[in-house]
Structures are given as structure tokens and as C-alpha cells.
Amino acid sequence: MLDLTPQNNERFATVLSLRETAAEEPILLRGPGGLPAKEASFDRDEEIYGESEPAEYVYCVRRGAVRTFKLLRDGRRQIDAFHLPGEYFGLGSGDSHLLSAEAVVETRVAIVKRRALENVAAHDAPTACALWRMAADELRNAQEHMLLLGRKSAMERVIAFLLDMDRRLAVAGVLALPMSRRDIGDYLGLTLETVSRSLSALAEKGALHFSGSRHIMLKDRIRLRAMTE
Amino acid sequence: MLDLTPQNNERFATVLSLRETAAEEPILLRGPGGLPAKEASFDRDEEIYGESEPAEYVYCVRRGAVRTFKLLRDGRRQIDAFHLPGEYFGLGSGDSHLLSAEAVVETRVAIVKRRALENVAAHDAPTACALWRMAADELRNAQEHMLLLGRKSAMERVIAFLLDMDRRLAVAGVLALPMSRRDIGDYLGLTLETVSRSLSALAEKGALHFSGSRHIMLKDRIRLRAMTE
DNA sequence: CGGTGAATTGACGCTGCTCAATAGCGGTGG
DNA sequence: CCACCGCTATTGAGCAGCGTCAATTCACCG
């Protein structure tokens, strides 16, 4: 399961931030207090950690994709974020995790011991500031997502999702989605059928093209953006 | 509007944290780096700051209540939090606010210059850690709220809201809500009519008693709690 | 190819929204 | 002290958007 073999000596320094504004962000774990990162691999749908488990590690996605989510007793699921290569997860400030995390596809992550990180932060202000910023960035995403979940229509939600994924992982204008329609629905507060119908309607209108159900090319991003704000 | 008259020399030190677990939390702005706090008052429905305004201050509620929210162009509103006495708001890590803030009722807040706070955090690890924790606490609230907005029924949302408010501001078992049904609806992703109907249904079943539409006494909190999880 | 899980599509129903009328509450002034 | 007024909350009727259930169809991978 957890493959903790020391893989190399590279540090988190090469992995800059939660977002592609990487270069300007504070660099977690570099410098004198920098911590050595190990790596671990997870299969598709494999659990990385469970809600309310003690939080032993902090993670950074290298390859693949991770979903973090909460469950209700009857099985309803809310995915609160997808974490893509270069993004951190698992760094709330409490002792135990508040969410569960699973690999969406075959995934490799860098890990660092949480306690070590906290020890550094406790007397190194720049590291602590970096943690603050990263938490604040996640908070901003959560706030935007609450607006989506509380007040947007199904079509608006799906368009917002497509634009976000397009920005974060499109290569040469093509979006290769790692997650299923069910995952998307559980992220957007919809059913998988509603997601599918919305995507079909957009394709029908020529707003996007499919090449296989998980490969999407958006047409006219400007107009799409105007439909979610 | 902003009454920045130095009111007294007390410091944020007396205001402990975002939550009632105050005593155990790190104390923002105490000690050598502690910053002097001024105070300001706002009328009911008065704007405290607007979305995308430069973030000049960080706030702590003294008396009253504050709502922070986002708007869509057509007027749809999502309130992402109510801030009650003792709670901080306005401390994302960016240069400009991500939300608007308004006083729900006549409200008094303590304020501190954001730049001064950042200057302290930049070389004082404990202060930076306190900021990290506060952002992480807000993030936890946001994650719980996403589950509510994405996956809970109207009745479950209203019950969750009542239990949360009961915990945070009930005195002698009675909840005196400062906000309108519309505010509650915009917080829960519902209309004011649905909120009203849910409350009436709960009163009908004897799960709560009204004494005036904004004074509520919950009956059997245990059973109510079982209805939201 | 063939099999299996994912995605699409259709029919129908329910939850919560919209629009509208009424009732209640709190403040104000005669 | 009570009558009035404006705002807030309640309640009702009808409807629509999205969920549910079910049947195909599609894509991926051996």
C-alpha cells in the first residue's frame, strides 16, 4: 500500500504551490528547514487516508489525481476538491483529517511527515506563512465552490467545472478528464445523469467537442465564462 | 462610516479565537508583536467592505453579527458565513477581499491594519501559525458547509443551521437569531419560503418552540442532530 | 471480437422554487 | 395606550428543474 521507499533526495522545493501562479508563491519546505520528501503510489480508487484518521502526512500530487470528500451515513458523498499534479492536500491544522482522500486514477504523491513540518513551522516564520497562504488559497476555492453549490443551476455548474479543469489540465486545448461522471456529479452537487445531460446539451450546441467521453475540447471559452458568472 | 477613533488600548489578546475552544487556541496578536486594536461601528445592513476591494484591515466581532457573501451579477447571493462575537473575519492571505461583508444588525468590530499584521507574521512564527490555524478552521467550516449545500435536503440544512447557531449563541437554551429568513436561505442555498416552511414543520412536530419568529428554543437536540448526519 | 463498467437517453415524479395573498410583529405617533 | 404603518414571516397553489429508475449504447481492454 504505502510505498515509503526513499525514492530520491529531491525536496518539495521543486513543487511550488497549489496553483499555476507557482513562481510567485512562497516555497514550502525549501531552505535550511526544508524537509526530505518520500514518495508513494496508489492504485485507482485506492484510499490514501480516511476521515478522522490521525493526520500523519502532508501530500503533494506528482502524477495522477486525488479526490478529497466527505460521506453521510446513507452514502451521499460530497467531493470538495480534485487535486492535480503540483497541488498539495492533507494540510489542515488539526490532528486528524477532516476529509477522506482517494486516488482517482493511478497516482503518485510526495509525502512529508506532518509533525516534522509543524516543528519547522513553529519556529520558522516563512514556512508558517507558506502554510497560511496555502490554507487561504484552499479557502478561496471553497468559497467559490459554495457559491456554485448554493446558487448556480446545473448547466452553470458544469460549465464552471469545465472551465476550471480546462485551465488546470488542458494540453493543446484538449481536456483529458481523469474522473467519472459520478465523481463530477458528487463534486458539483448533481447526479451523474444530470452531468451527462448537461454535457450532451453543450455538445449539441457546439460549445464543446468530444473525442471519447473523457476527452473534451472547449469552443469559445469567453462565451462559456459569461454563462457562469 | 468607519469610526477609527482610538477607543482604548486593549489588544486583541482578550479576544481569543474563532471558536469557543478559545482558551486552547493560539492567541493572535499578543505579546511583543501584539498590535493595538481600534474599534468601529456599523449600522444594520451597512457594508463593512466589498468584494475585490483592497484588504486594508482584519476584523474581530465585538457585538452584533456580520455576514460575508458573494453575489452573482443577477443578484443571487451566497452567504458563506455568519460571524458572531469573538470571531475573526477578513483574513484571507491575498491583497484584496474575496467576499463582501455587511453588518446583520447594529455591530461593533475591533480592527487591525492588515499590513502591520503581515509584518509581524513575516518574522514571528507563532503569529504566522495562529493565522494558519485560523484559516484552517475557516476551511473546516467551509468543507462542512459544502457537504450541506451539495448533498443535504432542505430540512437537514435547516436543522444543521439551528444546531450550529444554538451551539454558538444560545443563552439559557434560547436562540435569538439576529438574521432574517432571507439571510438564512442565502446561507443554506434555499429560498426564504423553504426556510420558513421547514421551521414551521419542526414547530408543528414539537421539535422547537417559537417566542417571536426570531426566538427559538430547541427541544431534543440529540434527535435533531441525528437528523443531519 | 466479446465482455464489463461507464455513459447516454428516456419517462416520470418529487422537492423546492415562484408568485401571490395574508398574517404577525415592532416601532411610532396621535 | 392603542391605532396605524411598514417590514418580515407565513401559508397556499402551481410549476419546473433536477432526481430516480430503467433501458440501451458506447468505449475500453483483454
Side-chain angles (χ1 to χ4, degrees), chain B residues 6 8 12 25 29 32 35 77 100 109 150-151 155 159 166 190 214 220 225 229:
Chain B
N8 51 45
F12 265 122
E25 299 266 359
L29 304 179
L35 298 165
R77 182 178 67 158
S100 302
V109 296
R151 288 300 179 215
M155 183 58 84
I159 292 171
D166 186 60
L190 300 170
R214 294 193 184 184
D220 201 351
R225 187 157 299 281
E229 282 164 358

Side-chain angles (χ1 to χ4, degrees), chain A residues 10-19 21-35 60 62 86 88 91 112 117 120-121 124-134 137:
Chain A
E10 82 183 314
R11 302 190 168 212
F12 265 122
T14 56
V15 179
L16 298 177
S17 82
L18 282 164
R19 299 236 147 254
T21 55
E24 310 164 28
E25 300 265 358
I27 296 162
L28 188 60
L29 306 179
R30 172 196 277 173
L35 298 165
C60 181
R62 294 294 203 197
Y88 289 92
L91 42 59
V112 65
L117 176 56
V120 173
D124 181 53
T127 297
C129 280
L131 289 167
W132 171 37
R133 287 195 172 215
M134 289 166 67
D137 279 352

Side-chain angles (χ1 to χ4, degrees), chain A residues 153-154 190-191 193-194 197:
Chain A
S153 70
L190 301 170
T191 59
E193 292 94 333
T194 298
R197 275 185 253 268

Side-chain angles (χ1 to χ4, degrees), chain B residues 155 159 199-208 223 227:
Chain B
M155 183 58 84
I159 292 171
L199 290 172
S200 297
L202 287 169
E204 186 73 24
K205 289 199 302 179
L208 57 82
R223 194 162 58 89
M227 293 173 67

Side-chain angles (χ1 to χ4, degrees), chain B residues 8-173:
Chain B
N8 51 45
N9 270 344
E10 80 182 315
R11 302 189 170 213
F12 265 122
T14 58
V15 179
L16 299 178
S17 82
L18 283 165
R19 300 237 145 253
E20 71 281 76
T21 54
E24 310 163 29
E25 299 266 359
I27 296 163
L28 189 60
L29 304 179
R30 172 196 277 172
L35 298 165
K38 295 175 181 177
E39 295 208 350
S41 290
F42 297 89
D43 289 335
R44 188 179 117 104
D45 293 330
E46 189 178 342
E47 175 173 299
I48 299 175
Y49 55 77
E51 199 173 334
S52 82
E53 273 180 19
E56 202 178 348
Y57 298 101
V58 168
Y59 304 81
C60 180
V61 182
R62 294 294 202 195
R63 285 205 331 263
V66 172
R67 57 178 172 254
T68 48
F69 60 93
K70 280 175 168 285
L71 288 176
L72 293 171
R73 273 197 309 283
D74 62 6
R76 281 175 287 176
R77 182 178 67 158
Q78 180 63 42
I79 293 177
D80 66 275
F82 293 110
H83 302 277
L84 303 178
E87 301 174 354
Y88 290 91
F89 66 98
L91 41 60
S93 79
D95 284 340
S96 67
H97 289 296
L98 309 165
L99 302 160
S100 302
E102 290 174 352
V104 174
V105 290
E106 187 81 28
T107 293
R108 173 166 286 272
V109 296
I111 61 176
V112 65
K113 276 222 186 291
R114 199 191 171 66
R115 180 167 301 277
L117 176 56
E118 279 168 1
N119 286 342
V120 173
H123 49 71
D124 181 53
T127 297
C129 281
L131 288 166
W132 171 36
R133 288 198 170 211
M134 290 166 67
D137 279 352
E138 272 197 71
L139 184 58
R140 182 180 57 198
N141 293 339
Q143 287 164 345
E144 195 64 46
H145 206 56
M146 286 190 281
L147 175 62
L148 179 149
L149 292 171
R151 288 300 179 215
K152 288 186 179 177
S153 71
M155 183 58 84
E156 291 170 331
R157 295 181 200 200
V158 170
I159 292 171
F161 171 76
L162 289 172
L163 287 168
D164 186 42
M165 286 297 146
D166 186 60
R167 188 173 52 79
R168 288 161 67 191
L169 56 66
V171 176

